[in-house]
Amino acid sequence: MDKDKNNSKTFYITTPIYYPSGDPHIGHCYTTVACDSIARYKRMQGYDVMFLTGTDEHGQKIEQKAAEKGVTPQQYVDEIVAVFKKLWSYMNISYDRYIRTTDDYHVESVQKIFRELYDKGFIYKGEYKGKYCTPCESFWTESQLDENGCCPECHRPVTVAREEAYFFKMAPFADRIEKLLLETDYLQPKYRAQELVNNFIKPGLEDLCVSRTSFTWGIPVDFDPGHVVYVWVDALSNYCTALGYKNSRYHDYDKYWPADVHMVAKDIMRFHAIIWPAMLMALEQPLPKHLAVHGWITFQNKNGEAQKMSKSLGNVVDPFMLGERYGVDAIRYHILREMALGADSAFSNEIMINRINSDLANGFGNLVSRTVAMADKYFGGTLPNDREEGDFDQSLRDCVLSVRGKVDKCIDETKLKNALEEIFVAVDRANKYIDETEPWILGKDESKRARLASVLYNLLEAIRVISTLLSPFMPTAMPKVWEQIGAAESDISYENAGRFDVLPVNVTVHKGEILFPRIDMEKEINELNAIIEKNMAEAKAKLSDAEKGEEFVPAELAQEISIDDFGKADLRVALVKSCEKVKKSKKLLCLQLDDGFGGRQVVSGIAEWYKPEDLIGKKIIIVANLKPAKLCGVESQGMILAADTPDGGAAVVFPDQELPCGAKIR
Ligand code: ME8
């Protein structure tokens, strides 16, 4: 079935529907800003675009969170959905439709979908027994669990679940899905296809549990009370129901389906790459054209390590706060420019500020302000009619006019980082053109006025093309650029981004505010670090012991040993007499100890978590009979005991401080 295009080109793009189980963060922003930029670009190209986002509001996790807060699940999700919508409006997200899985029309459609799959024999009743991860709302088979027997996605412990349930048969679709993944360009990036086939299809696709009886916050299976539809059938259907599939709320299904792009992060790739196509095959509906999978935005802590963003660690980057400080477009630019399709990207305040300063303040912002200021200074704002072509003009034009085609290709491949890189090649070329043509020297010579006018006009034209192509990515700032360079609305179009000599010959510029002010790195970093540290401390204090346990996944237990084996380790109490950092190492401290046997020196990799003064005068525990070793050239006679902490750090074990030095620990 082909889209009914009504003589116009259509384009349908979706974000995942997000769980309203906590406030949105910079990770949610990434997918949404990326889809928004593509949607805006496609609109600019003349497509009739449908851009869908929304919230996935059912499931056990929401039910539990609402109960903890003492509100109904509906009240709970209503409150958080309002924050999501506020953020999207703040980030200038131009979605065309917002679906909530609690909307009546969606509920109606999902019930019909469930029944159709049942009537066709693809859904049957059985008993589910398996490993279930509550936070991820996912069942896993034994072979899929991680090396610690935990959830392969979030690495938290799983529970054994057994209950009557409906199942969706996957086997009939295995061959077609394998072909879809390996032989078409459905999955982007393609290299993930083989991994999916090896991990899930080759071992034999298992039937999918599609109903639950252990909680009630879900869409009821209308022909079997007590069962609610298991989240993935409910959630994935949203992409169709939002267009009016099996409901009468909307009537755009024939127009927009199949989707051109579903964009998701790798955590939910499996569901979109295998289960969703299988459901559509069973319903005899066309398959989406592309599934674009990106990596995680992790948080880079001050030791440079990447951490998962987690509310309970307090390291969740708040997009409202960043937008207030640096402007929404600078944030949009930064996250799009850093994230390569497929790979993870660590969010770092330093990288963000460097990026804003170098690309936006010094690169593009400076290009605009210098050009406008010179047009103002030398011609009172309005360029004269005289022109004189010169060296470098053609090279500037060629470079600027080559950008649109390259960006088109990147957009079609959902490679937004590359699209921005291509545009910034033209920004650099234009800045170089200023250095080459030296307009400040031309300005001193009355006989060079025509040449100066040409140089400034060419720069204004370059800025017009660049800002048009940047506008889908930075929709708030670019209209301010157009105002400054004197571009009329008709000058700013996709067609005109492929042409030069569009602005009127005697265009008038208007000096305006600085588009992207330079950020004082040191001051900002100190302030941002203080905010994060405060959040982390608050989050830690807020956690109940149970939650701390939930976050922390202990390392796997080592192989069993005998008491004799243990007896071989000689553990002793020792006093830290002095301590200093090992030169040339960020991680090592060198400790001088009183071990009750004349003293010794131990080197320990705890400098990231302890300053020397935290340890001096404290009693600790050492492995006293460990063979000496050299660390960074410094001899270590033994090691000190420390425990893993939930945030990936180490905590030194302090014994009773009254114990004498040399006391043996058994
Ligand atoms: O999975 N980095 O919802 P969800 C990058 N309801 N992207 C991130 C991110 C991060 N740190 N954190 C979240 C669900 N995302 C289901 C989806 S779809 C039918 C149902 C983005 O709220 C990313 O797009 O956990 C990821 O796929 C999505 O949020 C998951 O959001």
Side-chain angles (χ1 to χ4, degrees):
M1 187 172 67
D2 240 1
K3 288 191 197 186
D4 167 16
K5 297 191 187 257
N6 291 335
N7 293 329
S8 74
K9 302 179 289 181
T10 62
F11 185 81
Y12 180 31
I13 183 164
T14 68
T15 72
I17 45 171
Y18 302 107
Y19 287 128
S21 56
D23 286 348
H25 56 65
I26 205 84
H28 299 110
C29 281
Y30 175 76
T31 326
T32 316
V33 166
C35 288
D36 181 61
S37 303
I38 297 174
R40 286 174 182 274
Y41 198 89
K42 287 286 170 186
R43 285 191 202 109
M44 189 168 84
Q45 285 182 314
Y47 283 81
D48 173 343
V49 172
M50 169 60 72
F51 168 23
L52 176 74
T53 189
T55 25
D56 182 5
E57 305 185 8
H58 293 122
Q60 195 170 10
K61 190 161 63 174
I62 302 277
E63 193 175 77
Q64 282 168 352
K65 292 225 169 192
E68 278 162 27
K69 270 194 102 180
V71 295
T72 66
Q74 190 66 54
Q75 284 166 332
Y76 180 82
V77 292
D78 284 352
E79 207 174 289
I80 298 180
V81 168
V83 184
F84 268 90
K85 288 190 169 175
K86 191 170 148 213
L87 178 63
W88 300 153
S89 130
Y90 183 69
M91 299 292 292
N92 216 340
I93 302 297
S94 63
Y95 61 81
D96 297 293
R97 199 160 287 169
Y98 190 100
I99 186 168
R100 298 184 57 178
T101 54
T102 48
D103 288 337
D104 288 349
Y105 72 89
H106 175 77
V107 171
E108 176 192 338
S109 294
V110 168
Q111 287 179 327
K112 288 182 185 161
I113 289 169
F114 200 93
R115 177 176 279 282
E116 183 178 329
L117 294 174
Y118 181 74
D119 288 345
K120 283 182 162 164
F122 291 119
I123 282 182
Y124 64 93
K125 201 181 212 173
E127 191 196 49
Y128 188 82
K129 181 175 148 270
K131 308 285 175 154
Y132 186 71
C133 174
T134 306
C136 295
E137 290 177 301
S138 300
F139 283 102
W140 301 100
T141 60
E142 203 70 50
S143 62
Q144 288 165 345
L145 298 177
D146 72 7
E147 65 279 11
N148 298 321
C150 293
C151 170
E153 297 290 1
C154 72
H155 305 287
R156 286 183 245 221
V158 288
T159 53
V160 176
R162 183 196 282 270
E163 63 188 48
E164 180 187 271
Y166 285 93
F167 288 85
F168 176 63
K169 287 182 192 164
M170 293 294 296
F173 312 105
D175 291 346
R176 276 178 72 192
I177 293 172
E178 184 169 339
K179 284 203 175 76
L180 175 75
L181 296 177
L182 296 181
E183 293 169 24
T184 74
D185 59 356
Y186 173 60
L187 189 65
Q188 298 171 336
K190 188 83 187 273
Y191 67 79
R192 290 198 184 274
Q194 196 62 53
E195 156 195 330
L196 278 169
V197 170
N198 293 348
N199 291 350
F200 296 102
I201 300 184
K202 289 277 185 242
L205 272 182
E206 289 180 27
D207 292 350
L208 177 78
C209 176
V210 290
S211 83
R212 302 298 308 273
T213 53
S214 51
F215 61 89
T216 56
W217 182 240
I219 298 178
V221 173
D222 54 2
F223 55 87
D224 195 348
H227 283 260
V228 293
V229 177
Y230 164 58
V231 283
W232 283 102
V233 170
D234 172 1
L236 290 162
S237 306
N238 93 88
Y239 301 128
C240 289
T241 65
L243 300 177
Y245 180 67
K246 293 193 190 289
N247 67 66
S248 51
R249 173 74 172 79
Y250 295 110
H251 304 279
D252 310 305
Y253 187 67
D254 291 342
K255 183 173 175 190
Y256 292 112
W257 192 257
D260 293 271
V261 178
H262 289 316
M263 190 179 287
V264 302
K266 62 184 187 184
D267 57 332
I268 53 174
M269 169 175 70
R270 174 172 78 104
F271 302 101
H272 286 78
I274 297 179
I275 291 167
W276 182 222
M279 276 175 65
L280 289 165
M281 287 171 192
L283 293 165
E284 295 169 78
Q285 297 301 310
L287 303 184
K289 293 183 192 159
H290 295 297
L291 173 64
V293 180
H294 61 80
W296 283 102
I297 298 189
T298 51
F299 175 77
Q300 188 172 317
N301 69 15
K302 57 184 185 180
N303 299 321
E305 299 149 342
Q307 285 180 329
K308 183 177 169 242
M309 263 189 218
S310 143
K311 208 174 158 192
S312 42
L313 288 180
N315 63 4
V316 172
V317 179
D318 174 8
F320 285 110
M321 182 269 285
L322 292 181
E324 284 308 305
R325 298 178 90 94
Y326 313 118
V328 164
D329 275 4
I331 305 308
R332 286 178 62 119
Y333 176 77
H334 168 66
I335 54 181
L336 295 174
R337 181 68 181 68
E338 283 306 315
M339 176 72 99
L341 188 69
D344 284 353
S345 152
F347 186 92
S348 130
N349 293 321
E350 280 88 347
I351 296 175
M352 173 184 67
I353 294 175
N354 264 330
R355 180 67 69 201
I356 296 174
N357 279 346
S358 70
D359 293 10
L360 299 182
N362 294 351
F364 182 65
N366 204 19
L367 171 67
V368 176
S369 65
R370 282 206 288 175
T371 305
V372 171
M374 288 191 286
D376 203 53
K377 178 172 172 191
Y378 298 122
F379 297 111
T382 302
L383 296 192
N385 287 335
D386 325 317
R387 287 289 184 274
E388 184 190 321
E389 301 245 318
D391 290 346
F392 312 110
D393 294 4
Q394 196 55 44
S395 142
L396 174 72
R397 279 168 186 247
D398 289 348
C399 173
V400 170
L401 292 182
S402 71
V403 177
R404 193 184 71 171
K406 293 178 189 158
V407 177
D408 287 355
K409 185 164 179 290
C410 294
I411 292 280
D412 287 340
E413 293 170 355
T414 53
K415 293 182 175 160
L416 304 187
K417 172 184 162 73
N418 305 53
L420 289 170
E421 278 167 2
E422 294 295 355
I423 301 174
F424 272 77
V425 169
V427 173
D428 292 344
R429 181 67 197 86
N431 272 322
K432 190 164 163 231
Y433 179 78
I434 299 184
D435 298 340
E436 289 162 343
T437 53
E438 300 179 314
W440 54 93
I441 294 181
L442 299 174
K444 289 185 189 146
D445 186 343
E446 199 51 36
S447 70
K448 299 275 170 56
R449 282 181 68 77
R451 177 66 190 133
L452 178 60
S454 284
V455 166
L456 294 180
Y457 182 80
N458 289 338
L459 285 168
L460 290 171
E461 276 293 282
I463 294 170
R464 180 187 56 74
V465 172
I466 291 167
S467 58
T468 305
L469 295 174
L470 276 180
S471 62
F473 304 93
M474 293 192 277
T476 313
M478 293 310 123
K480 295 180 194 160
V481 175
W482 301 330
E483 165 72 22
Q484 294 197 22
I485 64 169
E489 216 180 301
S490 55
D491 301 329
I492 305 305
S493 64
Y494 176 77
E495 286 66 35
N496 282 337
R499 295 189 193 121
F500 234 67
D501 300 329
V502 169
L503 289 170
V505 178
N506 47 4
V507 60
T508 301
V509 302
H510 308 277
K511 263 178 91 166
E513 59 178 297
I514 295 189
L515 294 164
F516 301 102
R518 236 194 111 71
I519 302 169
D520 177 340
M521 171 73 104
E522 204 183 317
K523 175 175 162 283
E524 286 298 317
I525 290 297
N526 287 339
E527 288 182 23
L528 291 176
N529 283 346
I531 293 173
I532 280 286
E533 262 162 41
K534 185 166 160 272
N535 288 348
M536 284 182 160
E538 277 174 12
K540 211 168 185 176
K542 250 195 233 158
L543 280 183
S544 65
D545 286 346
E547 279 173 318
K548 278 178 195 154
E550 187 194 339
E551 263 311 312
F552 180 61
V553 181
E556 205 175 352
L557 283 179
Q559 222 184 345
E560 194 175 271
I561 56 167
S562 69
I563 184 93
D564 294 341
D565 289 335
F566 174 70
K568 287 183 192 157
D570 195 351
L571 305 180
R572 304 283 178 152
V573 173
L575 171 74
V576 182
K577 293 195 302 184
S578 65
C579 174
E580 60 182 19
K581 288 192 151 185
V582 172
K583 284 193 194 94
K584 290 195 220 139
S585 166
K586 278 190 186 158
K587 300 198 168 165
L588 298 180
L589 290 181
C590 180
L591 302 95
Q592 301 302 330
L593 306 176
D594 176 356
D595 59 357
F597 295 90
R600 66 169 72 203
Q601 165 175 301
V602 168
V603 176
S604 177
I606 51 172
E608 290 167 74
W609 305 286
Y610 290 90
K611 295 194 210 85
E613 55 269 32
D614 298 335
L615 298 170
I616 296 171
K618 297 252 170 69
K619 297 232 175 85
I620 53 162
I621 301 174
I622 57 168
V623 184
N625 60 338
L626 202 63
K627 203 167 159 190
K630 277 200 169 166
L631 302 174
C632 261
V634 183
E635 177 158 285
S636 181
Q637 299 149 339
M639 62 177 265
I640 74 172
L641 296 194
D644 292 344
T645 61
D647 59 359
V652 172
V653 177
F654 295 108
D656 182 338
Q657 296 292 304
E658 301 300 316
L659 287 167
C661 292
K664 187 167 166 73
I665 294 165
R666 357 175 143 258

